[in-house]
Amino acid sequence: MRKLVKCLAPILWLTTFASFGKSDAAFVVGAQDINYFPHYSFKEPKDKGYAWAVLDEFAKHEGLDFIYVALPIKRLQKELIKGTVDFAYPDNPKWQSSEINTKTKAFSAPITKAMGGTMVLPVNLGRGIEYFQLLGVPLGFTPIMWDQWISRGSVKVVSVKDADAALQMVKRGRVDGADIEYHVARHLLRLAGNERALVLDPSLPYDIVDFQLSTIRHAAILKKLDLFLNSNQARFEVLKARYNLVAPAQILSTKNAQIEQTEKVN
């Protein structure tokens, strides 16, 4: 049975499935409509990132058809409630709003972990929060871990159109740092030709978040996914290496060592 590995435009998808339905083995995975590569970018025609690669292997193993639809973040949860999508990714119990009761949802084990942190110029690594004034943040994102400094006015947020623009602001010295997920930042810097232009500063606020798959109607499939993830850990470590995903503990250990080395030099 040939597996469907598609990312249909939302309008085409809604029209198609409203008119014709889908097979019993086909399930729609709704994904956030943002470029968060290497974690995920479901608009891409081919390689949609690590999460897609994991789900694709799971679908093949179980004989399922996963059809991927990229949707705006707020709309994604609404479509999950309506049942027009079967699963939502990424999701996390901590993100829930009044629109949906967490008790009605089931969550998979973490497919991966994201590390939201602050990217700075290497010369500013380890300077500390007392020297920080301007934080670049992509539109649509909220720097929750910076709340206490923002609320008392010691740090001001500079909103920019996307993650790449935030990183460029740091490079040019227009902000002191950018609140960007570590792997996303590395990927964008690599594309720009200088992966070492900015570094994560663990002395500044950061957050580690599990990226999970959620559902309201198909908890049994998530149980199979959990078993699949647990039984193939070695395979997924190889896959993480392919996508340059590093465990948060390793990131922090490396960056703290760099700070210590910098302090010794100075």
Side-chain angles (χ1 to χ4, degrees), residues 234-256:
R235 164 61 187 146
F236 292 127
E237 287 303 316
V238 173
L239 199 59
K240 285 177 183 178
R242 187 178 113 193
Y243 283 97
N244 296 301
L245 295 177
V246 183
Q250 183 178 343
I251 296 169
L252 291 172
S253 175
T254 301
K255 298 306 174 185
N256 282 320

Side-chain angles (χ1 to χ4, degrees), residues 9-153:
I11 294 176
L12 175 60
W13 167 73
L14 287 170
T15 302
T16 300
F17 287 96
S19 301
F20 302 105
K22 63 183 189 293
S23 72
D24 291 340
F27 296 90
V28 179
V29 179
Q32 290 183 354
D33 184 16
I34 57 175
N35 182 354
Y36 220 65
F37 202 89
H39 286 291
Y40 63 91
S41 184
F42 284 89
K43 278 187 173 181
E44 294 300 318
K46 294 183 179 179
D47 189 347
K48 306 178 197 332
Y50 176 78
W52 162 78
V54 171
L55 293 175
D56 186 43
E57 289 202 10
F58 171 67
K60 290 176 180 177
H61 182 268
E62 294 294 327
L64 304 174
D65 293 338
F66 275 178
I67 302 162
Y68 301 99
V69 183
L71 295 168
I73 295 174
K74 291 183 179 180
R75 183 179 170 191
L76 173 57
Q77 292 298 326
K78 292 179 181 179
E79 297 298 336
L80 182 66
I81 296 169
K82 288 162 57 178
T84 45
V85 302
D86 299 298
F87 302 95
Y89 187 86
D91 208 343
N92 187 292
K94 296 179 181 179
W95 299 346
Q96 303 317 303
S97 67
S98 58
E99 293 180 353
I100 185 168
N101 188 337
T102 304
K103 293 180 181 178
T104 67
K105 293 173 73 174
F107 295 85
S108 73
I111 290 178
T112 189
K113 291 181 181 291
M115 183 168 180
T118 308
M119 304 299 294
V120 302
L121 290 167
V123 294
N124 293 330
L125 179 65
R127 291 186 70 197
I129 195 113
E130 62 270 22
Y131 294 98
F132 207 97
Q133 294 182 328
L134 298 175
L135 177 69
V137 179
L139 286 172
F141 288 82
T142 303
I144 296 174
M145 61 267 198
W146 282 91
D147 271 355
Q148 61 176 299
W149 293 278
I150 295 171
S151 61
R152 66 179 179 229

